[in-house]
Amino acid sequence: MKTYPRSFSLGLSLAALLLLSGARALAVEDSPPARVARLAQIAAHVSLEPAGTEQWTQAAVNTPMTTGDRLYVDQDGHAELQMGQLAVRAWRYTDLTVASLTNETTQLALAQGSLHVRTFALGPKSHVEVDTPNGAITAVQPGDFRVDAYMADGGTLVTVDSGEVRIGGPSLSKVLGAGECVHLVGGNPIQALTQPMPGKDPFDIWSLQRDRAFLSSEARRYVNPNTVGFDDLDSNGTWKQTLEYGPVWYPSNVPAGWSPYSNGRWSWVAPWGWTWVDADAWGFAPFHYGRWTDLGSRWGWIPGPSGVSPVYAPAMVAFVGGASFSGAGGASLSGWVPLAAGEPFYPSYFCTPRYFTQVNLTNMRDSLSSRRAIDASNYYRYYHTGTGFHSIRYVNRKAGTIAVPSNEFASGHGTTPDTAVHPTVQQWASARVLPHPMVAPTLQSLLPQPVATVAVPSERPPVIVSQAPAITVQPQSALTGPSQGQSDGKFRLIARTPPAAAGPAFERQLPALSQDPGRPLDPIQVNNLALGRPAGPANTREFPPLSSLPPQAGGRRTGGK
């Protein structure tokens, strides 16, 4: 019996998915998903192709990935994606697409390369699936499984170290348990050849090290385990119990005068819009969950209640700007303020009342000293009626406001504690709290560090959705390549679940985004563009309303200071 190795050399392959006429239709009623995939670790050359583009950029730690994003790990690299209690690790020569990422579904399209998929827990509705040229692998029980997709008709090797998976495809349905390994050959039909368990290689060893770091993290005592990035806090700060908020985390090794959201850049990530990408290795959880408090000499991060799974937000800030908010030479500024305890987050993107309540309540703790419960219904009433914004003081505004020239905001260049502009009292007095930055995204907002060439074809192949009977999904353009054992000679991936429909290209969205700068397109607008129609007017409520804002927010304090 031939044993297949777990390493391979580069060959011609195609990435995975979408542009499929048979994919799931765009939903026009849904809020954004409550989670994203964080690019948690990268080594050497790793490239990212954001959804809606056909260009690559150098991948950066803390970049949020979602449906349609594509990752390539070159010959000397590796990368890790974190999604709460799910970690996906990629080794060299891996071409991976996030086919669908929703509250329950994680569907990954692996055209080539090696993945470790580690499920620390699986909810009753959770669905974790890896689609390959030789079958779809679905997690049945929590654990660790590895998938190696070879080129040049080499098939796919599936190894289960712990837990249980199901392999499916045309003429195949097979369950594998811990300690089992099969080599999949062909596409229709698929042969599953039993293999001896391979020995551990450097990829396995690295993956086990990452498991141990996640499971032994001190932060698990203070945060919900679905808080993405919590395990990076241990080595970069300290926890302290406080009378006011309970556990608070304080970052270490930050420069004098540091404040939150001062070391990173703004990126455009649909459907959320402007999204903070922090430059510090630990900089994910504290900037997309919870709240910040200024204690005078240091900043502390307050996580949400540990008993509930937090809803991801693009940045827990309020934006400031306006015609009179200017810097040197009268240049217009765009600024932001970290939200303090008790201060509501108002999405600039479409969301339902339920989502609005969850993104706030899962990321805020009640004040322990005042025993005053957070009332999200008042916050939503403000949002729905366009009133009440006078009651939000934004207590971090003096110490925490950061600004950059508006013409630099969308550049992708970012800001550092040394280059960040801290507005004066006079500048703040002329600022207005805004529903979002009044800056339209550019291609550079998605591709801050373009990569000229990546060693995989730009096109994405079609997919067979294997059901009973199997259904062949026709692509918009026929692609040919290595057959991987499929009878008609066309390269395909085999899926159990129909992948999400491809949205409109970013360039197709730009005219509508430019008409209302900084405001994300709502689901109806996106659907119109996907159907070849004009986007039409925005249907998302903005808060605070631009037509009725005072020059400065003030009034009753809602935070804990």
Side-chain angles (χ1 to χ4, degrees), residues 201-267:
D201 65 7
F203 184 26
D204 299 313
I205 295 169
W206 173 65
S207 184
L208 288 171
Q209 291 172 342
R210 295 296 297 158
D211 285 352
R212 286 193 289 269
F214 181 87
L215 293 171
S216 64
S217 172
E218 178 191 3
R220 297 175 69 90
R221 298 165 52 191
Y222 309 113
V223 304
N224 186 276
N226 286 313
T227 305
V228 177
F230 74 81
D231 51 312
D232 284 319
L233 302 182
D234 294 347
S235 58
N236 293 284
T238 56
W239 289 92
K240 182 180 179 181
Q241 285 286 345
T242 67
L243 293 176
E244 181 73 10
Y245 307 116
V248 176
W249 179 80
Y250 300 92
S252 58
N253 301 319
V254 293
W258 179 91
S259 59
Y261 301 94
S262 64
N263 188 30
R265 62 181 175 86
W266 291 98
S267 177

Side-chain angles (χ1 to χ4, degrees), residues 128-439:
V128 178
E129 175 179 333
V130 179
D131 302 330
T132 78
N134 308 102
I137 301 95
T138 305
V140 178
Q141 295 292 335
D144 181 15
F145 67 93
R146 174 168 166 170
V147 183
D148 296 272
Y150 302 96
M151 285 74 67
D153 294 337
T156 299
L157 195 69
V158 181
T159 307
V160 182
D161 292 315
S162 61
E164 189 174 272
V165 303
R166 181 181 298 278
I167 303 173
S171 72
L172 176 67
S173 180
K174 183 177 179 64
V175 174
L176 290 186
E180 292 188 280
C181 176
V182 296
H183 177 228
L184 306 176
V185 180
N188 191 7
I190 302 170
Q191 292 181 300
L193 308 176
T194 301
Q195 295 280 300
M197 287 289 288
K200 301 297 183 188
D201 65 7
F203 184 26
D204 299 313
I205 295 169
W206 173 65
S207 184
L208 288 171
Q209 291 172 342
R210 295 296 297 158
D211 285 352
R212 286 193 289 269
F214 181 87
L215 293 171
S216 64
S217 172
E218 178 191 3
R220 297 175 69 90
R221 298 165 52 191
Y222 309 113
V223 304
N224 186 276
N226 286 313
T227 305
V228 177
F230 74 81
D231 51 312
D232 284 319
L233 302 182
D234 294 347
S235 58
N236 293 284
T238 56
W239 289 92
K240 182 180 179 181
Q241 285 286 345
T242 67
L243 293 176
E244 181 73 10
Y245 307 116
V248 176
W249 179 80
Y250 300 92
S252 58
N253 301 319
V254 293
W258 179 91
S259 59
Y261 301 94
S262 64
N263 188 30
R265 62 181 175 86
W266 291 98
S267 177
W268 187 264
V269 181
W272 297 273
W274 287 118
T275 299
W276 180 255
V277 180
D278 202 80
D280 288 308
W282 52 266
F284 195 88
F287 300 103
H288 299 285
Y289 309 98
R291 298 292 189 270
W292 283 91
T293 182
D294 171 28
L295 301 177
S297 60
R298 64 194 306 200
W299 286 89
W301 177 64
I302 310 167
S306 60
V308 295
S309 182
V311 175
Y312 163 87
M316 289 297 187
V317 302
F319 292 103
V320 296
S324 301
F325 187 50
S326 58
S332 173
L333 295 176
S334 293
W336 52 94
V337 185
L339 294 178
E343 293 177 349
F345 168 70
Y346 286 100
S348 61
Y349 46 88
F350 172 84
C351 69
T352 62
R354 176 179 172 82
Y355 176 96
F356 178 92
T357 300
Q358 289 179 328
V359 77
N360 278 290
L361 289 188
T362 63
N363 284 294
M364 290 196 291
R365 290 180 183 264
D366 294 339
S367 171
L368 299 180
S369 60
S370 66
R371 301 191 182 280
R372 182 182 62 211
I374 296 168
D375 186 359
S377 62
N378 278 336
Y379 298 153
Y380 187 77
R381 188 181 307 115
Y382 300 160
Y383 178 69
H384 183 70
T385 62
T387 61
F389 44 82
H390 295 280
S391 66
I392 306 169
R393 188 180 175 188
Y394 297 113
V395 298
N396 288 332
R397 67 190 186 280
K398 291 182 180 179
T401 303
I402 302 293
V404 296
S406 295
N407 60 1
E408 288 289 322
F409 187 92
S411 67
H413 295 156
T415 183
T416 68
D418 293 332
T419 62
V421 176
H422 294 271
T424 63
V425 174
Q426 292 78 14
Q427 286 174 316
W428 174 261
S430 66
R432 294 169 49 166
V433 179
L434 301 174
H436 51 75
M438 300 298 153
V439 180

Side-chain angles (χ1 to χ4, degrees), residues 86-107:
L86 169 65
V88 177
R89 294 152 191 153
W91 203 239
R92 56 189 61 139
Y93 298 124
T94 294
D95 185 359
L96 179 70
T97 297
V98 181
S100 182
L101 185 59
T102 68
N103 292 342
E104 289 85 28
T105 298
T106 305
Q107 185 178 6

